Amino acid sequence: MRHDHLITSKQLSRADIETVLDRAAEIDADPSAVADRHANTLLGLLFFEPSTRTKMSFETAMKRLGGDVVDMGSVESSSVKKGETLADTVRVIEGYTDALVLRHPKQGAATMASEFVDVPLLNAGDGAGHHPTQTMLDLYTIRENAGLDDLTIGIMGDLKYGRTVHSLAHALTNFETQQHFISPESLQLPREVVYDLHQRQDGSGIKEHESLEAVLPSLDVLYVTRIQRERFPDENEYQKVAGEYQIDAATLEAASDDLTVMHPLPRVDEIAPEIDDTDHAAYFEQAHNGVPVRMALLDLLLSDDRGIRGEADE
Amino acid sequence: MSDDHDHHDGDDDHELRVSKIRDGTVIDHVRGGQALNVLAILGIDGTDGEEVSIGMNVPSDRFARKDIVKVEGRELSQDEVDVLSLIAPDATINIVRDYDVVEKHRVERPEVVEGVLSCPNAGCITTGDEPVTSRFSVLEDGVRCSYCERIVREEIASLIDT
Ligand SMILES: [Zn+2]
């Protein structure tokens, strides 16, 4: 089917995902070929909570396609402060722009907003819900480094609150992957997410662990996320738990030489800086990939024959 | 038969506890204690002047105790009946015209229910002031908000939007 909006990576089939990643690879190889492709196109940036990095990445992507952005600015200075509903805000701003990017603290915000507008809407994060452009750039990075089929991936850290993890895990069920989830018990995947993963893939592809040690040697990719201080009642407990999910050069001695280490950034101390210069480190590349991947998504959603549509779907 | 006592069919007997209706709907075989939730899910609160009679915890052959709801002057649509499946999966629906049962339905689980339940997730966009109708998909063992994807398996009746 054709997708006019990008709300969650769950809506995308394997063919849809491959269409996006293939387009991103083409753009990545020759960005100049699309430098004017969307001249005179305006992208509206609606960020109801701050995320400078994601916003800059979208802005860069739109400008590299020849277009420009208009930014709602901070919530404090906008009509939202006066009590306007999201439904009204998106209906007003769609009249100014050719597409919208929305980040909002409430879950389901992008789904609802997309029901009120005709221009393409891209979800840049809805509370604890989805962040599909992050997922697509994660998938792109995995494909470039390790391939998406016959993949064994470890996803480690805060799996409870980390929405990037939920979206990624779900998207990976489209491929032949073995997923290992490594976290302290208190930060395990929510049962909703586990339920969904089991609906998608038989249980053998999904395993949960409290320690990295046993699975590390089998991994092609290790995806590390930050464990936040505020998830713990006191500093001691935090230090004790978080310390077990940090990696350094010594940790990686047990890993395969080809292991790719990823992180959605910003990191604090989950990955020691000494890993940055090794062949394992892919997290800066991953951050850079946000631009070609968002360019690909904008291009697909804004083209005359618009929509994300996997070729095998037709 | 040596039994000294008359043995009537339980349901017929207890039928007398709630008045017969002329035209309308009888919802029978509701699980004991769920009658008020049945009315709530149908949006019937008496303010529109409907004549409603309720029997609660009536002895039943099929269940130990059942509830029965009769609504005079209103024939429930299939959509309304289907929503009942969430709290009264075994209910039978009798449409009555001129004191005769003219149609009998079982409830069927719908795929989606709209505008009936409210999401229990305070972080869900539908719980604010947005002009949006709640929507839940119906799972085998619960319901799931179409916006925030929260799954609710227990106490679904407590989500009824009143
Ligand atoms: Zn919800």
Side-chain angles (χ1 to χ4, degrees):
Chain A
M1 71 185 268
R2 187 181 92 177
H3 304 286
D4 294 331
H5 307 286
L6 179 68
I7 307 299
T8 138
S9 54
K10 281 187 190 176
Q11 73 186 153
L12 302 179
S13 67
R14 178 179 175 131
D16 295 330
I17 292 169
E18 285 174 338
T19 297
V20 174
L21 302 188
D22 290 348
R23 186 76 184 115
E26 276 171 33
I27 289 172
D28 209 0
D30 185 10
S32 63
V34 291
D36 297 315
R37 193 167 152 79
H38 294 282
N40 302 318
T41 298
L42 273 182
L43 178 64
L45 302 175
L46 305 175
F47 280 65
F48 288 80
E49 57 179 20
S51 176
T52 315
R53 200 77 63 78
T54 303
K55 192 152 103 175
M56 281 180 73
S57 176
F58 268 110
E59 188 166 351
T60 307
M62 192 68 251
K63 289 181 174 172
R64 293 244 183 251
L65 289 166
D68 207 342
V69 298
V70 286
D71 186 345
M72 177 182 80
S74 72
V75 170
E76 279 62 35
S77 59
S78 72
S79 331
V80 180
K81 193 76 192 289
K82 302 182 189 110
E84 188 175 60
T85 62
L86 175 61
D88 279 3
T89 305
V90 294
R91 280 181 287 186
V92 171
I93 309 299
E94 88 161 318
Y96 306 162
T97 60
D98 303 293
L100 296 171
V101 175
L102 174 68
R103 186 185 192 100
H104 195 278
K106 292 249 177 183
Q107 285 164 258
T111 304
M112 188 207 75
S114 72
E115 292 169 0
F116 286 92
V117 298
D118 292 322
V119 301
L121 184 141
L122 294 94
N123 183 6
D126 57 340
H130 300 283
H131 191 11
T133 62
Q134 175 75 43
T135 304
M136 298 309 289
L137 77 88
D138 288 344
L139 292 171
Y140 183 75
T141 308
I142 294 170
R143 191 171 82 164
E144 296 283 297
N145 284 278
L148 283 164
D149 285 310
D150 294 320
L151 171 76
T152 302
I153 185 170
I155 302 180
M156 181 168 85
D158 180 353
L159 308 185
K160 184 173 182 181
Y161 300 97
R163 65 179 157 202
T164 59
V165 163
H166 307 162
S167 297
L168 176 62
H170 196 279
L172 285 171
T173 60
N174 288 293
F175 301 90
E176 302 289 321
T177 53
Q178 171 70 52
Q179 301 194 61
H180 295 285
F181 297 97
I182 306 135
S183 70
E185 198 187 351
S186 61
L187 295 175
Q188 277 181 347
L189 284 178
R191 295 305 97 183
E192 257 91 351
V193 175
V194 175
Y195 172 89
D196 272 350
L197 295 178
H198 281 266
Q199 295 286 101
R200 300 272 308 165
Q201 193 174 38
D202 80 82
S204 65
I206 293 147
K207 292 205 169 67
E208 298 181 84
H209 313 267
E210 284 188 46
S211 154
L212 173 64
E213 203 181 344
V215 294
L216 180 61
S218 69
L219 300 182
D220 302 310
V221 173
L222 176 60
Y223 192 107
V224 183
T225 66
R226 184 150 61 99
I227 293 182
Q228 294 183 22
R229 166 72 189 84
E230 39 299 8
R231 308 297 182 208
F232 291 87
D234 66 77
E235 185 68 25
N236 273 351
E237 182 68 11
Y238 164 69
Q239 291 296 350
K240 199 177 105 211
V241 173
E244 290 180 42
Y245 300 92
Q246 291 164 357
I247 60 166
D248 55 21
T251 320
L252 294 190
E253 276 171 23
S256 145
D257 288 345
D258 297 329
L259 175 74
T260 297
V261 176
M262 294 171 61
H263 190 298
L265 301 184
R267 68 175 154 173
V268 181
D269 45 16
E270 306 81 65
I271 301 177
E274 64 194 19
I275 296 177
D276 298 357
D277 295 327
T278 69
D279 289 340
H280 296 302
Y283 27 92
F284 292 111
E285 173 195 337
Q286 182 184 356
H288 300 163
N289 286 340
V291 173
V293 168
R294 292 187 172 102
M295 286 170 78
L297 287 163
L298 288 168
D299 182 41
L300 289 166
L301 290 168
L302 285 163
S303 295
D304 291 340
D305 177 29
R306 71 176 231 208
I308 298 169
R309 179 172 13 194
E311 291 183 7
D313 289 2
E314 298 303 310
Chain B
M1 295 221 278
S2 59
D3 198 337
D4 287 342
H5 301 284
D6 279 347
H7 233 114
H8 295 296
D9 174 76
D11 280 7
D12 280 349
D13 192 20
H14 299 297
E15 204 78 20
L16 299 175
R17 292 169 192 246
V18 275
S19 62
K20 288 245 180 221
I21 61 169
R22 177 176 175 160
D23 297 296
T25 306
V26 178
I27 305 160
D28 200 356
H29 300 112
V30 175
R31 282 185 190 163
Q34 291 292 325
L36 296 179
N37 287 329
V38 165
L39 289 173
I41 215 168
L42 296 172
I44 296 173
D45 60 5
T47 55
D48 293 334
E50 306 95 330
E51 209 176 292
V52 179
S53 33
I54 300 174
M56 291 182 84
N57 294 316
V58 178
S60 153
D61 287 347
R62 202 184 300 178
F63 310 123
R65 298 276 166 178
K66 67 168 185 178
D67 286 3
I68 183 164
V69 176
K70 302 190 177 192
V71 186
E72 178 79 49
R74 176 155 165 197
E75 294 187 7
L76 295 183
S77 68
Q78 190 63 45
D79 281 353
E80 289 176 303
V81 165
D82 288 346
V83 167
L84 286 179
S85 69
L86 299 177
I87 54 163
D90 305 297
T92 49
I93 313 296
N94 302 292
I95 305 292
V96 178
R97 287 180 202 147
D98 205 15
Y99 298 110
D100 280 333
V101 173
V102 293
E103 282 173 41
K104 237 176 166 34
H105 308 285
R106 308 280 324 238
V107 299
E108 278 173 43
R109 285 177 87 72
E111 281 177 24
V112 175
V113 291
E114 286 192 56
V116 177
L117 307 174
S118 58
C119 187
N121 176 7
C124 176
I125 191 72
T126 63
T127 60
D129 297 325
E130 299 295 336
V132 60
T133 306
S134 77
R135 188 167 68 233
F136 285 78
S137 53
V138 178
L139 312 175
E140 246 168 67
D141 58 346
V143 294
R144 178 174 221 173
C145 176
S146 303
Y147 291 90
C148 73
E149 303 180 0
R150 172 75 61 92
I151 296 176
V152 182
R153 293 199 169 82
E154 270 135 47
E155 305 269 335
I156 290 169
S158 69
L159 306 184
I160 297 167
D161 205 354
T162 47

